[in-house]
Amino acid sequence: MRVWPTLLLILAGVLVGGTWSLYKQGTNRVAVVVTGLLAVLATAGGLLWLLPGEG
């Protein structure tokens, strides 16, 4: 099923936009880093899910 990787990549895009917005607003660095890390994890999860494998 290809729905989950698509949803993860959409979430990653939203998180990247949120990270950029937080950065431009001068928000606390911890919030920017945490949001950026969540974006990286969502991107990695979406891409890894698309890799061919068993099943």
Side-chain angles (χ1 to χ4, degrees):
M1 182 179 256
R2 299 283 185 201
V3 173
W4 291 112
T6 303
L7 291 176
L8 278 173
L9 292 172
I10 290 170
L11 175 64
V14 170
L15 287 169
V16 167
T19 302
W20 182 252
S21 177
L22 289 171
Y23 173 74
K24 293 300 275 185
Q25 291 176 20
T27 307
N28 185 359
R29 183 175 295 251
V30 174
V32 174
V33 169
V34 168
T35 309
L37 287 175
L38 289 174
V40 168
L41 287 174
T43 303
L47 292 176
L48 288 174
W49 205 316
L50 290 174
L51 292 176
E54 299 176 17

